[in-house]
Amino acid sequence: MSGYKMFADRLDYAFKEARTRYTEAYNLMLSKKRDMEDVQRNPSLADTFGMKAEYDYNQAKAAFKKAETAAWEDFVREMEEIGKDLKSAFAKVNQARPEDIDRAGLELLNSGILTVDDLGALLDRYEDNPTMLRLIAQHVEKLLKDTKDTQTRRELIAVRQKAVANDIMDAWKNLEDTARICTGQAHGKGEPRYVLSISSQWEKLTENTIKNF
């Protein structure tokens, strides 16, 4: 778990709030529809309560039509805001800082004696130092320009990918993608039964990512 878990928790809460808003509006519409149909089937009630029951159903139906779009649109906007906050916090922590430069490590990096395995060991040494990781990635880029051997290039590319990997941002992208799918709106407005079904999968699909964020 990183210091960024609060952002994943905010997203989790926002999704569940949107799902509840959608579900409650849908269930109310169904309830009012059943009430109306019950009244209409009973002649002794239809004359007295028929118009009221139909009015209540139409009101609930209109409310759902509004909620089925607004709930998820509001959620997506909130998700985007949370994402901006996360990116800002991440950038502040991972920005290059002069005081984080290890002069001995930089001298070794520029010495020309390091093997690919040595570069991998440096990555492990500086895994909590974004400044040094960026310097290593830059060094590897230079080596790639002068390296023709296919196997060595593969190994260097693997080192570069590890040096620039943003595990937190990758995890956030996965959460965003999963959220968009679970809204049921990924390919236009989904049918209510589909939306209720797919949105119920949110916890199953995101539990481990959120827990370990």
Side-chain angles (χ1 to χ4, degrees):
M1 185 174 69
S2 71
Y4 304 100
K5 188 175 183 298
M6 61 173 288
F7 298 100
D9 289 338
R10 283 173 59 190
L11 180 66
D12 184 48
Y13 180 81
F15 182 88
K16 291 174 180 176
E17 284 285 295
R19 183 177 61 188
T20 296
R21 181 180 172 188
Y22 181 97
T23 303
E24 289 181 349
Y26 180 67
N27 287 339
L28 179 61
M29 180 185 70
L30 292 185
S31 176
K32 294 301 181 182
K33 183 179 181 180
R34 286 192 295 268
D35 290 345
M36 180 186 69
E37 291 171 343
D38 288 343
V39 168
Q40 290 173 342
R41 280 193 295 266
N42 190 328
S44 64
L45 295 176
D47 290 342
T48 305
F49 302 106
M51 291 183 62
K52 176 65 165 60
E54 185 175 356
Y55 173 81
D56 288 345
Y57 166 63
N58 286 331
Q59 287 292 100
K61 183 179 180 180
F64 173 66
K65 285 298 181 183
K66 181 178 179 180
E68 71 173 334
T69 299
W72 298 121
E73 287 182 347
D74 290 348
F75 164 71
V76 170
R77 280 194 291 270
E78 186 169 0
M79 177 171 67
E80 291 172 350
E81 286 301 314
I82 297 170
K84 289 178 183 178
D85 291 344
L86 169 61
K87 290 171 186 175
S88 177
F90 186 82
K92 288 178 181 178
V93 171
N94 289 276
Q95 64 183 350
R97 292 186 292 263
E99 62 269 24
D100 290 339
I101 295 177
D102 181 348
R103 297 296 174 184
L106 185 60
E107 183 176 347
L108 185 61
L109 192 63
N110 294 326
S111 68
I113 67 171
L114 297 179
T115 65
V116 175
D117 287 340
D118 291 332
L119 289 169
L122 280 183
L123 286 181
D124 293 335
R125 179 184 180 89
Y126 297 117
E127 62 179 348
D128 295 321
N129 187 329
T131 302
M132 290 301 296
L133 290 179
R134 288 168 66 176
L135 288 170
I136 293 171
Q138 182 185 58
H139 178 73
V140 172
E141 285 287 352
K142 294 177 182 177
L143 291 178
L144 280 169
K145 291 179 181 179
D146 299 325
T147 301
K148 305 300 182 183
D149 181 71
T150 302
Q151 181 59 34
T152 302
R153 285 185 61 83
R154 287 199 191 100
E155 293 173 354
L156 286 171
I157 289 171
V159 170
R160 181 187 61 187
Q161 289 175 335
K162 186 177 179 181
V164 301
N166 280 345
D167 291 342
I168 290 296
M169 299 313 300
D170 288 344
W172 177 257
K173 179 64 167 55
N174 288 336
L175 283 177
E176 281 189 323
D177 290 344
T178 302
R180 293 182 190 279
I181 292 171
C182 286
T183 66
Q185 315 296 301
H187 303 291
K189 186 165 60 179
E191 290 296 318
R193 282 182 293 181
Y194 170 72
V195 174
L196 293 173
S197 175
I198 194 67
S199 65
S200 71
Q201 300 300 306
W202 169 255
E203 286 83 357
K204 178 181 178 181
L205 295 173
T206 64
E207 181 180 9
N208 287 335
T209 301
I210 292 173
K211 179 180 179 181
N212 298 304
F213 200 84

